[in-house]
Amino acid sequence: MGRVTTTDRRSALRTGAGLAAAGALATSCSATGAVVHPAAPARTPGTSAPPGAPRAAPAPRRFPGQPVQIEHGPRTRPQVALTFHGQGDPAVAHAVLGEAEQGGARVTVLAVGSWLDEHPDVARRILDGGHDLGNHTLRHLDINAMSETDAYAEIQGCADRLRRLTGSIGTWFRPSRTPRASPLVERVARRVGYPHVLSYDVDSLDFTSPGAPAVTRKIAGEIRDGSVVSLHFGYADTVAALPAVLEELDRRGLRAVTTTELLS
């Protein structure tokens, strides 16, 4: 497939990187949880939507043979999933999505519910670009430390916002402030409607702001067939690193797909 050069990409993303550096940083999803940083009704498949009505979004599905907590996809196909924690300056989110689409990549965005409250248009932008959209809790708190009642409110709260905006609770759930969900959070997620919890096997550490070359090296050093990579909206290093990351995937013959496609 045709691709723009890395230099062209960096020029196109210079504005987005500046916005990310100047704006408020998103909250990281490190294991420590440290901070560094109306309704659209679903349609029956096959029916026509009224003019101007949003398409019904995909719903969660069970993947037979996969564990409840998914860290990676099959190691037998040259595909990877770039997953983004959805929070931060929406201009940066738009820049990242545009860059991915220019390179023929599709990504997965796990959105924070309070972020969707502030920027409801981003949900439809993600889906219209062919990307996966999922649930990253309502307020991005330490969900593993919560009671069952509070954890349910966090997951259901974000699911409600996704349903109002897209007609679906989203395709995936990822816990906040931790790479893996506790057994209690697993159980609550299933109760809300998510058969799986989406984890990852490659942590870019972009939320530590180590510099774009370090983000690229971290991903390049660990990514392989089937990998799920954790990245974040809202960080200048992430925006600046993405062109080189996509070029490295091309060099290795790896294709960036949605998590749904990775596991299908």
Side-chain angles (χ1 to χ4, degrees), residues 63-247:
F63 290 88
Q66 291 292 338
V68 172
Q69 298 211 43
I70 295 175
E71 295 183 353
H72 61 81
R75 299 298 193 187
T76 55
R77 298 198 300 265
Q79 297 178 335
V80 299
L82 303 180
T83 67
F84 289 84
H85 302 234
Q87 197 175 19
D89 189 333
V92 178
H94 284 281
V96 170
L97 293 171
E99 165 60 22
E101 290 156 14
Q102 277 190 341
R106 295 294 178 264
V107 304
T108 300
V109 180
L110 294 311
V112 175
S114 59
W115 185 64
L116 294 175
D117 285 340
E118 297 173 1
H119 312 290
D121 61 305
V122 179
R124 183 49 55 181
R125 167 66 183 87
I126 292 165
L127 292 174
D128 286 348
H131 311 288
D132 271 357
L133 176 62
N135 182 327
H136 197 35
T137 76
L138 179 59
R139 296 174 295 163
H140 201 269
L141 304 176
D142 185 359
I143 195 164
N144 278 351
M146 293 181 180
S147 68
E148 183 166 355
T149 298
D150 290 343
Y152 179 82
E154 281 292 307
I155 302 173
Q156 186 65 60
C158 185
D160 289 342
R161 283 152 178 80
L162 287 166
R163 185 184 288 108
R164 285 198 300 268
L165 293 170
T166 71
S168 165
I169 65 172
T171 47
W172 296 98
F173 165 71
R174 173 171 286 168
S176 49
R177 302 284 190 92
T178 177
R180 291 187 62 84
S182 68
L184 182 150
V185 172
E186 282 185 6
R187 183 169 67 251
V188 171
R190 286 196 299 271
R191 180 178 158 200
V192 174
Y194 301 99
H196 300 281
V197 173
L198 181 60
S199 185
Y200 45 86
D201 65 323
V202 178
D203 189 347
S204 70
L205 298 179
D206 57 347
F207 61 86
T208 66
S209 298
V215 172
T216 303
R217 284 195 302 272
K218 183 70 162 58
I219 295 172
E222 298 180 14
I223 200 167
R224 58 194 180 109
D225 289 2
S227 282
V228 176
V229 184
S230 171
L231 293 149
H232 294 73
F233 287 158
Y235 291 87
D237 291 346
T238 310
V239 181
L242 191 54
V245 169
L246 293 176
E247 291 293 343

